[in-house]
């Protein structure tokens, strides 16, 4: 589980430290930096398998304007601290990544806009105390041979070199000699981000055995089709919940796949009348997508624990009563996924009045975004007179 995320010089975030709980709420005005923080986490997650430029395009659609325009610093720095489990071993990881933003002339010569300046992955656990699994300084790399180190009781490293357009973590082979480093790689690259789009939810996009929802929801039909074939119990639970809560017409979903890369989804009522996604409400489709995210298993042994899942403004297009019912399926311990929600809805914010420690306020600054933890004792006293969403509306959180 991610404990702390640090970023410096990424868009509006300068020296920002985000401390996380199993379930988290990130709130603030428009243009206060909430999405920038989510982008920064998504970018770092992407570097676990992608080149730096591809990770930037995934997160921000751009690899030229990532740095804060006022700071004048040449590197963007990240740190992720996480607790994971490997074969019943409790491991604590610290991953640092410093990326150099090259000027246009240097970028043209290097054929990349972004380059690794420094990278380190350190782990502590049984037999390992602050052991440097990866040490990368501008392409000069030392990898810890974990098996030999544990067998001999002393550090044994392998030296190598690599191009600067991607992290060494992304280049690791899944070998028996570095299982703990690869565990962190799988965990980091497993971070999920969702900003659901009502039009994209209607698309018939598909992949074979699709089990991960696209960030915009564009493969909803495909993942529900595969959920029906792979986990009938969860599928029925989601369908029944949707019928009970939001659309009592919906008796079943049927699927049609005319081509390998397409799955069309249709709803049917109890009389067999069929209706396509173009006639289903935005709210029904968003409910199905959010239900899929919250009900399916977001914790896997291969990831060492719960997946980090970021959901932007889940309340968009949904009646708050429906959203509250969905939110009740979030495991507050994080055992079925660690969640970060952003929101502007006072009603959704009210759902966190019993978990005030999980609330973080993103404040608009002149040149950067301060992250503020509200005073919990003060908040509890204020809750006697008004709900949490109203406190936020009145700008009384910090």
């Amino acid at each position: 589980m991610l404990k702390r995320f640090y970023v410096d010089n990424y868009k509006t975030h300068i020296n920002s430290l985000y401390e996380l709980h199993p379930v988290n709420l990130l709130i603030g005005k428009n243009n206060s930096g909430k999405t920038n923080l989510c982008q920064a986490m998504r970018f770092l997650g992407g570097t676990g398998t992608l080149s730096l430029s591809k990770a930037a395009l995934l997160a921000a659609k751009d690899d030229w304007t990532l740095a804060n325009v006022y700071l004048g610093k040449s590197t963007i720095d990240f740190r992720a601290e996480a607790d994971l489990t490997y074969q019943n071993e409790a491991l604590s990881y610290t991953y640092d990544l410093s990326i150099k933003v090259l000027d246009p002339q240097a970028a043209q010569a290097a054929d990349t806009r972004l380059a690794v300046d420094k990278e380190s992955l350190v782990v502590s656990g049984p037999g390992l105390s602050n052991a440097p699994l990866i040490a990368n300084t501008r392409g000069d790399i030392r990898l810890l041979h974990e098996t030999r180190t544990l067998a001999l009781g002393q550090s044994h490293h392998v030296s190598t070199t690599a191009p600067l357009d991607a992290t060494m973590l992304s280049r690791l082979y899944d070998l028996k000699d570095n299982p703990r480093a690869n565990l962190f790689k799988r965990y980091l690259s497993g971070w999920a981000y969702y900003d659901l789009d009502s039009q994209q939810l209607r698309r018939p996009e598909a992949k074979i055995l699709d089990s991960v929802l696209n960030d915009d929801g564009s493969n909803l039909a495909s993942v529900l089709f595969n959920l029906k074939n792979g986990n009938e119990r969860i599928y029925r639970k989601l369908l029944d919940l949707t019928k009970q809560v939001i659309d009592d017409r919906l008796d079943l979903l049927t699927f049609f796949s005319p081509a390998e890369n397409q799955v069309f989804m249709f709803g049917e009522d109890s009389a067999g009348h069929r209706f396509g996604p173009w006639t289903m409400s935005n709210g029904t489709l968003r409910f199905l997508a959010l239900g899929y995210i919250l009900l399916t298993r977001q914790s896997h042994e291969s990831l060492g624990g719960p997946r980090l899942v970021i959901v932007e403004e889940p309340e968009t297009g949904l009646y708050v009563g429906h959203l509250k019912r969905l939110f009740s399926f979030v495991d507050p311990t994080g055992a079925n996924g660690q969640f970060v929600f952003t929101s502007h809805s006072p009603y959704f914010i009210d759902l966190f009045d019993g978990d005030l420690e999980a609330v973080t306020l993103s404040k608009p600054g002149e040149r950067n975004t301060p992250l503020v933890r509200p005073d919990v004792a003060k908040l509890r006293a204020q809750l006697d007179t008004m709900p949490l969403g109203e406190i936020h509306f009145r700008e009384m959180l910090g």
Side-chain angles (χ1 to χ4, degrees):
M1 184 175 296
L2 185 63
K3 298 183 298 182
R4 283 175 287 274
F5 176 80
Y6 170 85
V7 60
D8 184 43
N9 195 31
Y10 183 92
K11 296 194 174 182
T12 59
H13 285 276
I14 298 175
N15 199 31
S16 290
L17 177 64
Y18 186 30
E19 298 186 74
L20 290 94
H21 294 254
V23 183
N24 304 271
L25 176 64
L26 181 63
I27 54 179
K29 295 180 178 180
N30 293 115
N31 202 36
S32 66
K34 299 186 302 297
T35 294
N36 288 344
L37 181 61
C38 294
Q39 275 188 13
M41 289 190 283
R42 192 183 188 198
F43 171 73
L44 185 64
T47 64
T49 53
L50 302 173
S51 70
L52 299 180
S53 290
K54 287 182 178 179
L57 293 174
L58 174 74
K61 314 301 181 189
D62 171 35
D63 63 351
W64 285 86
T65 59
L66 301 185
N68 185 284
V69 297
Y70 301 105
L71 192 58
K73 182 183 174 185
S74 63
T75 60
I76 304 172
D77 300 310
F78 301 88
R79 171 175 288 183
E81 299 176 21
D83 289 336
L84 305 178
T85 302
Y86 171 71
Q87 295 184 350
N88 296 319
E89 296 178 0
L91 301 176
S92 293
Y93 289 88
T94 299
Y95 182 60
D96 287 284
L97 179 63
S98 181
I99 295 170
K100 193 169 185 63
V101 182
L102 304 179
D103 61 45
Q105 185 174 356
Q108 185 175 13
D111 197 28
T112 181
R113 173 62 170 163
L114 305 171
V116 173
D117 189 53
K118 292 182 180 179
E119 174 191 14
S120 72
L121 177 62
V122 175
V123 68
S124 290
L128 299 166
S129 179
N130 292 321
L133 300 179
I134 298 174
N136 179 1
T137 303
R138 290 177 287 280
D140 291 327
I141 298 156
R142 280 164 57 85
L143 301 176
L144 186 71
H145 193 299
E146 298 173 30
T147 306
R148 189 170 298 176
T149 295
L150 289 170
L152 299 177
Q154 60 183 21
S155 296
H156 182 85
H157 293 88
V158 176
S159 297
T160 185
T161 59
L164 303 180
D165 63 340
T167 65
M168 186 60 213
L169 188 69
S170 70
R171 292 187 164 98
L172 284 180
Y173 293 106
D174 196 0
L175 302 175
K176 63 179 181 179
D177 297 331
N178 52 10
R180 291 161 189 81
N182 271 291
L183 174 66
F184 185 82
K185 172 183 177 175
R186 291 192 298 273
Y187 167 71
L188 186 69
S189 58
W191 290 2
Y193 171 88
Y194 295 105
D195 187 5
L196 300 174
D197 182 282
S198 296
Q199 295 305 311
Q200 295 300 317
L201 288 167
R202 292 172 162 79
R203 289 184 58 184
E205 181 177 307
K207 297 177 184 176
I208 296 175
L209 300 179
D210 221 346
S211 62
V212 177
L213 188 66
N214 289 343
D215 59 358
D216 58 2
S218 55
N219 63 338
L220 176 63
S222 181
V223 295
L224 291 180
F225 172 71
N226 284 296
L227 180 65
K228 181 179 182 181
N229 293 325
N231 194 325
E232 180 73 18
R233 182 172 285 105
I234 295 295
Y235 169 78
R236 288 304 316 178
K237 185 175 183 178
L238 174 58
L239 188 60
D240 291 345
L241 184 66
T242 306
K243 181 177 181 179
Q244 293 168 14
V245 174
I246 196 168
D247 190 346
D248 57 10
R249 296 183 309 160
L250 188 62
D251 192 56
L252 57 85
L253 292 173
T254 57
F255 301 90
F256 172 60
S257 181
E260 184 177 331
N261 63 344
Q262 286 187 324
V263 174
F264 289 90
M265 177 175 68
F266 299 90
E268 287 190 15
D269 63 17
S270 58
H273 298 118
R274 178 178 287 189
F275 43 95
W278 303 275
T279 60
M280 297 170 73
S281 75
N282 290 342
T284 298
L285 292 170
R286 289 185 68 87
F287 190 91
L288 285 166
L290 285 169
Y292 180 86
I293 295 168
L294 299 181
L295 291 175
T296 54
R297 190 165 177 260
Q298 299 292 344
S299 182
H300 305 273
E301 184 178 345
S302 64
L303 300 178
R307 183 199 305 272
L308 177 68
V309 181
I310 302 166
V311 184
E312 294 258 32
E313 300 181 21
E315 72 273 9
T316 302
L318 273 179
Y319 170 60
V320 65
H322 301 337
L323 186 59
K324 184 177 181 180
R325 183 72 182 275
L326 269 181
F327 192 73
S328 69
F329 290 97
V330 176
D331 187 334
T333 70
N336 195 41
Q338 182 181 21
F339 289 91
V340 175
F341 297 99
T342 70
S343 180
H344 289 292
S345 167
Y347 302 106
F348 185 75
I349 293 170
D350 285 346
L351 298 178
F352 284 80
D353 61 6
D355 192 13
L356 300 176
E357 292 83 359
V359 178
T360 299
L361 177 66
S362 177
K363 298 190 70 174
E366 184 177 347
R367 297 189 173 188
N368 68 306
T369 295
L371 296 178
V372 176
R373 286 282 188 183
D375 185 321
V376 172
K378 182 179 177 181
L379 263 184
R380 288 199 177 104
Q382 291 172 326
L383 287 173
D384 291 336
T385 58
M386 68 184 77
L388 185 61
E390 181 73 10
I391 295 171
H392 174 51
F393 171 74
R394 293 174 180 268
E395 301 183 32
M396 298 166 60
L397 282 176

